[in-house]
Amino acid sequence: MASKLENPLKAMVGNGKKLHIAMFPWLAFGHIIPFIEYSKFLAQKGHKITFISTPKNIDRLPKIPPNLASSITLLKLSLPQVDGLPPNAEATMDVHTDDIPFLKKACDGLEPELTRFLENSVPDLIISDFTSYWLPEITSRLGISLGFFCIFNAWFLCFFGTTDMMVNGTDPRKKPEDFTVPAKWVPFENTVAYRPFEANWMMESGKKNVSGVSDIFRAGKLISGCDFILIRHCREFEGDWLDVMKELHQKPIIPLGLMPPEAHMNRDNQTNDSWVSINTWLESQNKGSVLYIALGSEVALSQNELSELALGLELSCVPFFWVLRKPAGSKNPIDLPEGFEERIEGRGLIWKSWAPQLNILSHESVGGFLTHCGWSSTIEGLMLGHPLIMLPFLVDQGLNARVLVDKKVGLEVPRDELNGSYSSNSVAETVKLIMVEDEGKIYKEKAKEMSRIFADRELHQKYLENSI
């Protein structure tokens, strides 16, 4: 299959031919946004883009810049109704974590409509996410090139092993404890492994779910049938993992750099009422004193996790801004400890709706970031030079935290190894250490140092240029 890419497609681009490229991200905004950003870059280079998602997701997209509007067609495919999926749910932000397999099943139901589009339009290339394991068969039949865009980083994909392990279940690791040590196929020393309380997630991702296949199988099948892998990674930060990835999958690997968002990309928010009141509060705080807390849109804290985090922030005596939204489908109300909001008034602000994260992280009163370690949030925090306080919960987050702790850009909140619980004291001590104590200076310095790579727009732009 590689020859298909190496001949016509390479020749077309080499001759300056403009391509028609279809983009098909998974139904999660952490995936959709990097896909739309890369689409805009390709459109700037004169390529024609068809961006494919469901109606509700396309309506929620950031506005396409007017100069690119004629080059990017937004194609809405209707998501089939699936038992177990709440009505009108079209993205992971609309459902509880436990219901995501139903969303994958619904996404598989887009196959007939997507096939019709590919048959009628025959784009030169389709760039897909990990979920569409059925796509290689279609693109192969139609002679369309297929790229896999991995929005995660390289160590996460490497942890799953070879393509064969992913597709045929030949991974020798069968028990949760097998995933608590670094993968033996990685030829250099590393700490990339799950904690015992996280290992069950890895076990589950290898099992068939209600969609009929496992997540690992999905990704493996797409990798085995794609022509190349695009990945949000760069050689300047943990570049050795890209070589491991190439070895494991025997495919061309094309790093896209870290795709740091423009720090001013949210300027439209600056006149928005919520930003005005957030900004007023931030302006009243001392420079570098505020801890920003955001755990992404998919982490649903249990009542105990929520209470311990709140009490830990109170105990720390550090000013904080906490984006605390109830995840969709969550059965738990946001029940803060009694009297908590009164006690932290003036020092802490609880924000219960969407907040402009980049604007907040860019504000000079912010001096640290308590994060779930999703890759996009990590890039935003380090791009702005903030030390991280890490509280990972799902998917790649634990593995990201291990690498970031090794790099000394922050610390993980200590937790019970078996059940993942943490105490208000462990939260308070980690927050104080990073934000106010002398011991925390090293993490601040390392994060500032790391921002030289993460915020180097020219460097990451070069990766995008090279990807063409």
Side-chain angles (χ1 to χ4, degrees):
M1 259 187 110
S3 59
K4 181 176 76 180
L5 172 74
E6 283 156 15
N7 291 329
L9 197 57
K10 214 166 182 181
M12 285 177 201
V13 179
N15 297 336
K17 178 183 182 297
K18 299 309 179 192
L19 304 177
H20 176 195
I21 302 170
M23 303 290 274
F24 187 49
W26 159 233
L27 308 175
F29 271 80
H31 293 241
I32 288 170
I33 296 301
F35 267 75
I36 200 76
E37 288 305 309
Y38 192 49
S39 299
K40 290 194 293 199
F41 172 76
L42 292 167
Q44 276 167 0
K45 297 294 170 189
H47 300 292
K48 180 184 168 212
I49 306 297
T50 301
F51 191 90
I52 305 162
S53 194
T54 63
K56 196 170 166 186
N57 289 335
I58 284 190
D59 291 342
R60 291 189 275 206
L61 282 175
K63 217 169 160 37
I64 303 290
N67 63 318
L68 301 177
S70 61
S71 306
I72 301 177
T73 303
L74 301 173
L75 177 63
K76 298 178 175 181
L77 301 185
S78 306
L79 194 68
Q81 198 45 53
V82 162
D83 284 348
L85 192 64
N88 301 320
E90 294 186 13
T92 53
M93 69 195 289
D94 303 326
V95 299
H96 189 266
T97 314
D98 298 343
D99 296 331
I100 288 176
F102 296 104
L103 192 62
K104 289 184 177 128
K105 188 177 179 179
C107 188
D108 292 339
L110 296 173
E111 182 184 347
E113 256 193 284
L114 184 65
T115 305
R116 267 196 300 281
F117 159 75
L118 293 173
E119 286 169 344
N120 296 334
S121 302
V122 197
D124 301 293
L125 163 67
I126 180 165
I127 295 175
S128 175
D129 217 321
F130 79 99
T131 38
S132 323
Y133 69 100
W134 33 265
L135 198 49
E137 214 169 286
I138 302 161
T139 53
S140 178
R141 170 170 68 81
L142 297 172
I144 296 167
S145 292
L146 172 63
F148 164 44
F149 181 5
C150 177
I151 64 113
F152 298 105
N153 50 52
W155 57 79
F156 178 62
L157 200 52
C158 291
F159 196 74
F160 289 100
T162 63
T163 319
D164 182 73
M165 285 182 197
M166 295 172 77
V167 175
N168 298 316
T170 55
D171 189 335
R173 302 168 298 179
K174 302 295 179 200
K175 306 185 295 297
E177 53 269 32
D178 297 338
F179 298 101
T180 61
V181 291
K184 63 178 188 302
W185 45 83
V186 180
F188 47 85
E189 211 171 299
N190 70 91
T191 56
V192 173
Y194 285 106
R195 302 253 189 263
F197 70 90
E198 297 164 331
N200 283 331
W201 175 84
M202 186 74 187
M203 293 293 288
E204 288 306 309
S205 64
K207 289 179 189 161
K208 278 186 186 177
N209 54 44
V210 296
S211 70
V213 294
S214 73
D215 287 353
I216 291 179
F217 175 84
R218 280 178 188 279
K221 201 78 177 132
L222 192 76
I223 291 169
S224 71
C226 76
D227 296 299
F228 59 93
I229 300 172
L230 296 164
I231 187 157
R232 194 178 181 186
H233 202 104
C234 69
R235 287 214 164 266
E236 291 69 16
F237 183 74
E238 294 290 305
D240 291 351
W241 291 95
L242 293 167
D243 301 325
V244 179
M245 216 172 120
K246 191 170 173 33
E247 190 58 41
L248 291 170
H249 298 297
Q250 298 293 309
K251 298 275 174 178
I253 307 292
I254 305 170
L256 295 179
L258 299 177
M259 302 175 74
E262 299 274 340
H264 61 264
M265 106 190 239
N266 287 338
R267 283 228 172 109
D268 340 351
N269 296 322
Q270 304 206 349
T271 51
N272 149 324
D273 290 347
S274 62
W275 171 243
V276 171
S277 60
I278 291 169
N279 191 44
T280 305
W281 186 84
L282 290 171
E283 290 289 323
S284 70
Q285 305 298 323
N286 294 333
K287 186 178 175 179
S289 67
V290 175
L291 176 66
Y292 173 66
I293 302 131
L295 300 173
S297 58
E298 290 175 33
V299 171
L301 296 177
S302 69
Q303 187 51 57
N304 186 55
E305 287 167 340
L306 179 68
S307 298
E308 293 300 316
L309 179 52
L311 294 170
L313 293 170
E314 183 182 347
L315 272 175
S316 75
C317 299
V318 165
F320 64 87
F321 184 100
W322 185 3
V323 181
L324 182 59
R325 292 166 73 195
K326 182 179 169 181
S330 170
K331 316 288 186 282
N332 311 329
I334 291 179
D335 239 348
L336 287 160
E338 201 176 331
F340 170 75
E341 291 184 79
E342 292 73 24
R343 294 193 299 273
I344 55 99
E345 200 176 344
R347 171 167 73 83
L349 186 59
I350 310 283
W351 194 261
K352 292 182 182 172
S353 59
W354 180 85
Q357 180 158 297
L358 267 179
N359 285 20
I360 296 166
L361 286 171
S362 305
H363 198 283
E364 66 170 13
S365 69
V366 173
F369 184 11
L370 194 155
T371 172
H372 61 312
C373 295
W375 193 220
S376 289
S377 285
T378 299
I379 290 168
E380 290 181 13
L382 289 177
M383 166 184 124
L384 292 157
H386 293 307
L388 307 176
I389 294 165
M390 303 172 227
L391 199 56
F393 287 91
L394 306 163
V395 199
D396 58 327
Q397 297 164 8
L399 301 186
N400 295 345
R402 309 298 107 81
V403 170
L404 298 164
V405 165
D406 277 355
K407 293 283 184 190
K408 292 196 162 40
V409 294
L411 288 173
E412 272 191 74
V413 172
R415 289 158 96 157
D416 183 291
E417 288 282 302
L418 295 177
N419 65 22
S421 64
Y422 50 84
S423 69
S424 53
N425 281 331
S426 63
V427 171
E429 280 160 23
T430 315
V431 167
K432 282 192 296 197
L433 196 152
I434 293 278
M435 295 296 289
V436 293
E437 288 168 14
D438 279 351
E439 265 179 89
K441 280 184 181 151
I442 178 72
Y443 304 103
K444 288 177 179 162
E445 283 160 17
K446 288 283 185 191
K448 279 271 181 292
E449 214 175 283
M450 200 55 76
S451 76
R452 291 207 280 275
I453 294 173
F454 278 66
D456 186 340
R457 208 154 292 288
E458 209 175 292
L459 169 74
H460 301 298
Q461 188 64 23
K462 260 190 208 129
Y463 276 102
L464 290 175
E465 300 285 347
N466 290 341
S467 76
I468 295 279

